[in-house]
Amino acid sequence: MEEVTQELESKEYFINMGPQHPSTHGVLRLVLSLDGEIIKKVEPHLGYIHRSIEKMCEHDSYQQIVHLTDRMDYLSCHINNEAVCLAVEQALQLEVPDRVKVIRTIIDELTRLSSHQLWWGVMGMDLGAITTFLYGFRDREIITDIFEETCGARLTMNYNIPGGLFFDIHPNFQKRTKDFITYFRKKLPEYDTLLTNNVIFMQRMKGIGKLSKEDAISYGVTGPTGRASGFSCDVRKQHPYMAYDKVNFKEVLGTEGDCLARYKCRIAEMWESMSIIEQLIDNIPEGPVKVPTKAVIKLPKGEWYQKVETARGEFGVYIISEGQRSPYRLKFRSPGFSNLSALDHMARGCKIADLVAIMSTLDLVIPDIDR
Amino acid sequence: MKSIIKYFKDIFSGLRSLVKGMAVTGHYFTHPKEIITQQYPENRDTLKMFERFRGEVVLLHDENNEHKCTGCSACEVACPNGTIEIIPKRIEVDGRKVKAIDQFVYHLQMCTMCGLCIPACPTDAIVMANTFEHAVFDRSKLTKILNKPGSKIMDGIK
Amino acid sequence: MNWLYDFSYLTGGIHNSLSEHFEPSTVTLIEMILAGVAFMILFAILGLVLVYAERKVSAFFQQRLGPMRVGKWGTAQTLADVIKLLMKEPLMNKNADSFLFNLAPYIIMIAAFMAMAALPFAKGLHALDFDIGILYVSAVSSLGVIGILLAGWSSDNKYSLIGAMRSGAQIISYELSVGLSLLTIVVLTGSLQFSTIIESQANGWWIFKGHISAVIAFIIFLIASTAETNRGPFDLAEAESELTAGFHTEYSGLKFAFFFLAEFANMFIVSAIGATVFLGGWMPFHIGGWVGFNNIMDYIPPIFWFFGKVSFIIFLMMWFRWTFPRLRIDQLLTLEWKYLLPVNLMNILIMAFLALMGWHF
Ligand code: SF4
Ligand code: SF4
């Protein structure tokens, strides 16, 4: 009799999700322990795309460090660039011209929009609606074109330099951006029809992967993910940089902290981003686009920290300088890393399909986590 | 009773949301004019990159096969990836030995197209070109010598 | 051209000429072989056409052009893919159960073949006309799940196993709804035989004649049969973003192609059943009393009617797939047991009442 009961007992088993898996969005390896389809534990294993960017920074000049940050969170590369530039400007006590501030802000918001569009497309695809992927890319393509025309590259733009911008905006920039906003204001409701209002989607997102405000704070979860739990953590509001203190926008806060809240938070952020761009695009002040710096920038001895709000959350740069041309130590605080740490907490007790949804709403970019 | 009404309401609102979603995809299905993809190799003639697009570093030569590079290595220093290698030589100008380039070696496979070398050049000798079809069958083909054979430095560039 | 309208001229002609030369038993044997070959050819053509259609349809839904390189408008693309699949190396896990692993794709294919045998394609073009045709087809078409279960079990891959288990739960539950929604129409026809069902729709298709009940039954049939064929939004057994490729993760080359082909064949089969039972099979579109109109409709050969209706249903299924996100396994079961099944049972009751009172047309 005893043997029978033993056989009937279900056992946990392990499954390796990744490093090559369609929905880990890169080379992330999750070791899942499962009971049937129920997740008992998620253990992320990192390091598959570690390129030791922080160490490389210790040998590069400050201008060169900027372009390395493109390769971390490649979906908000401009914002990453900006963080380094701001830290350097802060150390050198440079005041950048107003024109630079406004242009940087506009491109920040465009970056955020394009990142969220891609996230939306991928989100749909993770849930099995492949068509959304193409629609997301369709709209993102217009922004990438704007970037390409002005910054010279579609993804790794490297448009910021310490002290300003690489070159002035392209004459077409304003018109194209305005056209895009008009276009996208028409297309964004389509996103709602396809996913947000869809029953299947609703059912799959509601109440899944809950993260309370306390947990969000204790895990250091920031960005739309943290704000969906009600954790007011928008750096743009709390420590405004560039032109963010001049524009009107709402910090989107959710209450539920589940997948649906995170989803809605990002969609609402897209509307906010568009309104920020609209406020600024016609009011770009005239003036130079950079303040001259020395060819070899040497920061004074000291430590500086600068944080910005990327599409994924709070991105921080911490520089320790010994007065040399390269930093003594440079540390990036990447939002993806902290957000991923909450995955286990959120996913316990969910199903495999839910795990995919949760990861999608975390909006992970693996190079950002591994650096 | 209430729960029964809710039950049917759920069904209808669910079906309605699904039909609305289908209307969106249906719209695009019936409007093939809105297709956005391009037929890439076929449209090579009409495909134009934006002028600022950074595709690769080139050393500008004029019609006399002259370039502006003095071999000062500023670009080499500015490059974060060791992409550029300037191999200098000494040439004799008016009886004085001056530095000039022997070979401007450019490792395309290491270039991240960051564009930092361009503003670093004091004589504006190099620019970013728009080309983007860099695929080759042999990796060694990616290492390029940018100064054309027999080229020399333009007069008056120091 | 008469044979295009009534295939019994053609089949009868073949039968007569064969009977002149051979014994009756040999004639039967030859005819069976002929039918088998015909079905195999149909299968291959279906695979080619449907894969191409799916790729093109999905492309247009997604504002793409789809395959454009091989042949005009990419028409030869599937052919090229077949050649590619044929040349691929058949891989197998070291610890896989090789007998079952190799058997699984064939089971799926055989199930599809058997179901197809009973489908009425046009007037007189009907290999087997059982008096329990519907029962037979729905029984046989669910045999395929054995293949899926075996494939998942023998692959020695946990993803495959999860996929197979999901698919088992899914097909067993949705089988009910498919059967019951077909029964709703059977209540009206009083017969399970395909030919009788089609004949009964000579003056109008059941979906029009059977009031709202038939429409509900048709919608349920569409949903349930999409689920039964493991297609999106019910593709949990494959669930690319969750289980990489589900039960056929470990298959490659020709065996993978079999799974692929079987999916499309099954889609065709359920669409054919739907078209036959709800949309009048090969019966042209008739409106009672409009003689002129009916005559014009009769000019279109039945076989075109049949394939037209089938493609309509297939298109609907593709539309579903390329619009909706995938369900989760518990939602899938909730949908079946809490919504489809009760509604279905109620619907049958209503239909029975309608039939009893003679309120249908
Ligand atoms: S573009 Fe950047 S990586 Fe390429 S050669 Fe110039 S400095 Fe080096
Ligand atoms: S290209 Fe310009 S920076 Fe580079 S070696 Fe020549 S002159 Fe100097």
Side-chain angles (χ1 to χ4, degrees), chain B residues 57 78-81 83-84 106 110-117 128:
Chain B
V57 175
C79 177
N81 309 306
T83 309
I84 299 175
Y106 173 57
M110 292 203 259
C111 184
T112 52
M113 315 299 170
C114 64
L116 287 175
C117 50
M128 295 299 284

Side-chain angles (χ1 to χ4, degrees), chain A residues 189-190 192-195 197-199, chain B residues 12-27, chain C residues 319 323-324:
Chain A
E190 212 170 72
D192 286 340
T193 331
L194 269 177
L195 281 189
N197 299 331
N198 187 303
V199 258
Chain B
F12 280 115
S13 64
L15 276 179
R16 231 186 63 207
S17 76
L18 295 182
V19 170
K20 272 190 185 160
M22 282 169 74
V24 174
T25 42
H27 169 85
Chain C
W319 198 348
T323 308
F324 301 140

Side-chain angles (χ1 to χ4, degrees), chain A residues 13-17 21-23 37 125-131 134-135 138 198 200-201 203-204 208 351-354 356, chain C residues 58 60-64 157-159 162 166 233 235-236 240-244 321-331:
Chain A
Y13 63 102
F14 291 93
I15 213 169
N16 267 317
M17 202 167 175
H21 189 278
S23 61
E37 280 221 23
M125 197 172 72
D126 280 345
L127 297 181
I130 300 165
T131 304
L134 276 295
Y135 291 173
R138 170 195 70 193
N198 187 303
I200 304 175
F201 180 80
Q203 301 275 326
R204 283 201 61 174
I208 300 301
K351 300 206 164 46
I352 299 177
D354 295 332
V356 174
Chain C
S58 70
F60 277 89
F61 275 130
Q62 302 171 344
Q63 297 189 282
R64 297 183 288 124
N157 180 326
K158 288 170 192 163
Y159 284 121
I162 297 176
R166 281 181 177 187
D235 54 346
L236 286 96
E240 203 214 316
S241 57
E242 296 155 27
L243 305 178
T244 54
R321 170 164 186 179
W322 298 109
T323 308
F324 301 140
R326 183 185 308 119
L327 282 85
R328 200 171 54 213
I329 182 78
D330 56 323
Q331 290 170 355

